[in-house]
Amino acid sequence: MGQPVSGRAPTRTHRHSINPPGLPWALPVITVESSTDGPRAAICANLHGDECIGIGVVHALVESLPSALLRGSVRLYPSLNPEGLRAGARRMPGESVDLNRAFPGDARGSSADRAAHAVWHDLLGFGPELVLDLHADSSASIPYAILDRLITARDPERQRRLTRLERLARASGLTLVWDYPDALYRRFHLDRSLAGALLNHGRIEAFTLELGPRRLIAPDAVEAGVDAVLGVLGSIGLMASAGTEHPSRVAGGPWRRDSGPTPRKAGVLRPHHSPGTLLEPGQLLASIHGLDGGLRERLVVPTRSLVLSLSEQAWIAPGASVTTLAVPDSP
Ligand SMILES: [Zn+2]
């Protein structure tokens, strides 16, 4: 039982595991439940095996929620991809499909399909009104929230749900970025990501937090992630968190995610600005050099752009991604 604090109803912590059929591992699941009825939320982490910050965030929540929860319940998934974690790899070992494009999954499909199916059923069985999926972009990044496109609903339901989604994400105190425009969103199958599938096919409000360095559970990134999650959980009344604004937050927008200019030539990537910088159209983002230092190419932003993250690779191949930007989300 959690420690009751001055009149607060006691909490219980339940643990179970998910065993996807035919897979030799189990996923731990922790549910912290108040004896007072209220909203249900779920926090998922480490879906991409090399993105580890969310594990630290979930572990901190396992410790703090029993004495902080006022009502309702929170289900915590520390790792949706423990084999990817062990291998230090984004995907499940031996799997060609990105687990974050496999939802809602298939009980008779590939390992990623079966894992996604098992997670989907555990999540929907819990019946959350809100799910947060914790990812990590780069050691050179600001933390930000990605909001999916809602391509399966029409107005006015669509507008009502998007307004609610934006209000929930704003409570994270992070910079908000809508995902790629609808056509690219469909082409990249982003409605089969966990948050995208929950929003589009599960009719559950869900969004993704990108929380900084991927492989290292860095204390400051964990702290920022915990603050962001508590702000969102507080906004639906699960606890008395007022929410804090992260110092990197850039207001305005609406912004949308953009992969920025890509190089035509290989070479050494030399970024000219740090994440969190706003660039005006025509401003130099980065340059590509030969090993002798000679300039090979200049990468300029065509529109007003906020630098969200930079590649951790110093040597860049032609066509490779060097950045994630936020650009104005003009209709
Ligand atoms: Zn990820």
Side-chain angles (χ1 to χ4, degrees):
M1 299 281 264
Q3 298 287 317
V5 180
S6 59
R8 177 176 296 161
T11 59
R12 292 174 68 92
T13 299
H14 310 269
R15 292 168 195 272
H16 72 280
S17 55
I18 305 173
N19 299 83
L23 297 179
W25 40 262
L27 307 171
V29 185
I30 303 108
T31 308
V32 183
E33 186 175 61
S34 167
S35 52
T36 303
D37 275 349
R40 292 169 170 245
I43 316 294
C44 302
N46 193 226
L47 195 163
H48 289 136
D50 60 346
E51 300 179 17
C52 306
I53 289 292
I55 302 172
V57 173
V58 166
H59 285 177
L61 293 170
V62 170
E63 290 170 15
S64 67
L65 280 179
S67 59
L69 198 64
L70 289 176
R71 60 183 65 81
S73 50
V74 181
R75 182 162 283 188
L76 301 159
Y77 299 81
S79 174
L80 296 185
N81 186 358
E83 290 297 284
L85 171 66
R86 289 179 191 120
R90 178 180 176 87
R91 294 184 181 179
M92 293 165 57
E95 181 54 88
S96 61
V97 175
D98 183 340
L99 180 56
N100 209 26
R101 301 291 180 275
F103 289 91
D106 178 350
R108 289 177 300 279
S110 68
S111 342
D113 288 330
R114 280 177 278 148
H117 178 82
V119 168
W120 182 262
H121 280 270
D122 193 83
L123 263 174
L124 267 64
F126 175 59
E129 66 176 66
L130 169 67
V131 178
L132 303 189
D133 191 23
L134 310 183
H135 287 245
D137 184 330
S138 159
S139 55
S141 64
I142 60 168
Y144 58 99
I146 302 179
L147 288 74
D148 280 84
R149 300 293 180 175
L150 180 49
I151 57 174
T152 54
R154 293 197 180 153
D155 289 337
E157 185 209 344
R158 179 177 166 281
Q159 202 48 53
R160 180 180 56 73
R161 290 189 57 204
L162 290 179
T163 301
R164 174 167 156 77
L165 183 68
E166 185 172 0
R167 190 171 64 239
L168 290 165
R170 198 166 294 286
S172 71
L174 303 181
T175 300
L176 305 191
V177 185
W178 292 94
D179 216 323
Y180 296 112
D182 286 7
L184 276 182
Y185 185 88
R186 287 174 206 273
R187 194 194 306 164
F188 294 158
H189 303 294
L190 286 162
D191 66 314
R192 301 198 63 194
S193 68
L194 177 55
L198 286 165
L199 187 73
N200 280 289
H201 308 299
R203 301 173 66 85
I204 292 169
E205 272 37 299
F207 58 93
T208 300
L209 299 182
E210 297 281 353
L211 295 173
R214 283 184 293 142
R215 293 172 185 277
L216 171 72
I217 301 189
D220 53 344
V222 170
E223 191 181 332
V226 169
D227 286 350
V229 170
L230 292 182
V232 177
L233 297 183
S235 77
I236 57 171
L238 284 165
M239 61 196 58
S241 167
T244 52
E245 183 154 307
H246 193 268
S248 68
R249 173 166 179 172
V250 179
W255 303 102
R256 71 169 159 81
R257 174 151 75 141
D258 187 272
S259 45
T262 50
R264 284 173 287 108
K265 296 175 181 164
V268 175
L269 173 69
R270 194 187 294 171
H272 288 247
H273 300 279
S274 300
T277 309
L278 262 175
L279 303 178
E280 296 302 325
Q283 218 174 324
L284 184 63
L285 168 75
S287 49
I288 306 291
H289 298 259
L291 273 182
D292 62 359
L295 177 66
R296 292 186 174 171
E297 194 172 352
R298 289 159 49 84
L299 298 176
V300 162
V301 296
T303 53
R304 190 157 202 256
S305 302
L306 168 65
V307 182
L308 294 172
S309 74
L310 295 163
S311 170
E312 293 174 340
Q313 298 290 329
W315 183 264
I316 290 292
S321 169
V322 303
T323 186
T324 300
L325 302 176
V327 301
D329 185 28
S330 43

